[in-house]
Amino acid sequence: DAGITQSPRHKVTETGTPVTLRCHQTENHRYMYWYRQDPGHGLRLIHYSYGVKDTDKGEVSDGYSVSRSKTEDFLLTLESATSSQTSVYFCAISPRVADTEAFFGQGTRLTVV
Amino acid sequence: SQQGEEDPQALSIQEGENATMNCSYKTSINNLQWYRQNSGRGLVHLILIRSNEREKHSGRLRVTLDTSKKSSSLLITASRAADTASYFCATDSGGGADGLTFGKGTHLIIQP
């Protein structure tokens, strides 16, 4: 497996609470991504980063924020968790902006009750 | 919005048979990739085919790309039980840093 670790792997939280998911890589790749995976929707991009402190929104960014203060860490925060954010979250990394494969973490299963 | 759409959504075949999955997409692409996801795991890259390529092989995998029809197919030959997984196509439009756009996947079951 590529050097990419997500934490926590599982989390149950209550509606209205903030939640932060962490993605840590040891590959020194410039590009990092957060996706969510839901039945019937495949993977959808939440936010991405193209360098330290350089981030942008993806397709489903409402209710999420991200930060990248170091090359190796990309944090996803649910500002006030809702039941619709119950999902499996995947972090991915890639060395170049295009024409390259992405490497995925093992995923974080988040349940909002 | 989804770029790729896999077909069929689910496929069940006997071990040793060939499995074919299709992907259609909507806009022009720089390349198309296929990924596998085992239950409860992350996605693993299988193969990348560039827009100027028509066919590519990797072991038991064969991928074709028809840019005029905006479609791709993944063929797995001589299937094994370990091939049971979900398979996703992903398109790279090459327009920026926003990565890949994934389809909804085909769930493949190989019956022993």
Side-chain angles (χ1 to χ4, degrees):
Chain A
D1 290 344
I4 178 169
T5 305
Q6 291 184 231
S7 59
R9 293 291 315 280
H10 302 270
K11 186 171 181 66
V12 179
T13 192
E14 293 187 349
T15 299
T17 61
V19 177
T20 296
L21 309 183
R22 181 185 185 228
C23 178
H24 178 78
Q25 61 144 330
T26 58
E27 304 296 324
N28 201 35
H29 286 344
R30 178 178 175 185
Y31 300 93
M32 299 186 74
Y33 308 87
W34 277 107
Y35 292 89
R36 60 178 289 174
Q37 183 177 34
D38 303 289
H41 290 278
L43 276 83
R44 294 179 292 174
L45 182 66
I46 305 171
H47 279 279
Y48 62 98
S49 170
Y50 46 97
V52 174
K53 298 187 179 178
D54 291 324
T55 65
D56 208 344
K57 297 178 180 179
E59 176 189 358
V60 291
S61 61
D62 286 350
Y64 301 94
S65 62
V66 291
S67 67
R68 190 167 177 202
S69 59
K70 299 183 290 185
T71 298
E72 57 265 36
D73 289 325
F74 192 31
L75 304 181
L76 176 70
T77 297
L78 288 65
E79 295 141 7
S80 178
T82 67
S83 58
S84 65
Q85 293 175 312
T86 292
S87 187
V88 181
Y89 292 85
F90 286 98
C91 177
I93 61 175
S94 66
R96 298 188 301 276
V97 67
D99 212 23
T100 183
E101 67 183 277
F103 301 92
F104 281 80
Q106 295 284 60
T108 294
R109 182 172 296 276
L110 177 68
T111 303
V112 183
V113 298
Chain B
S1 62
Q2 301 296 133
Q3 164 76 309
E5 292 287 341
E6 290 90 343
D7 170 53
Q9 291 186 358
L11 179 62
S12 180
I13 61 173
Q14 295 296 123
E15 192 167 20
E17 294 180 340
N18 296 340
T20 299
M21 289 159 272
N22 303 296
C23 170
S24 60
Y25 57 92
K26 299 174 184 175
T27 63
S28 61
I29 61 171
N30 186 45
N31 66 66
L32 185 144
Q33 304 179 29
W34 285 91
Y35 288 78
R36 183 187 73 228
Q37 183 182 34
N38 291 95
S39 181
R41 305 293 297 272
L43 279 73
V44 174
H45 181 262
L46 295 175
I47 196 164
L48 180 155
I49 186 165
R50 292 182 172 81
S51 60
N52 61 353
E53 298 176 312
R54 292 296 168 258
E55 187 172 313
K56 201 162 185 180
H57 296 256
S58 177
R60 294 184 296 113
L61 306 180
R62 172 180 171 251
V63 170
T64 61
L65 178 65
D66 186 336
T67 53
S68 67
K69 295 181 179 178
K70 292 186 170 59
S71 67
S72 173
S73 68
L74 171 67
L75 169 67
I76 303 174
T77 61
S79 63
R80 306 167 181 169
D83 294 328
T84 293
S86 291
Y87 293 81
F88 295 87
C89 68
T91 54
D92 175 359
S93 298
D98 55 348
L100 301 167
T101 304
F102 287 83
K104 299 178 183 180
T106 291
H107 185 53
L108 175 64
I109 298 173
I110 309 298
Q111 306 278 4

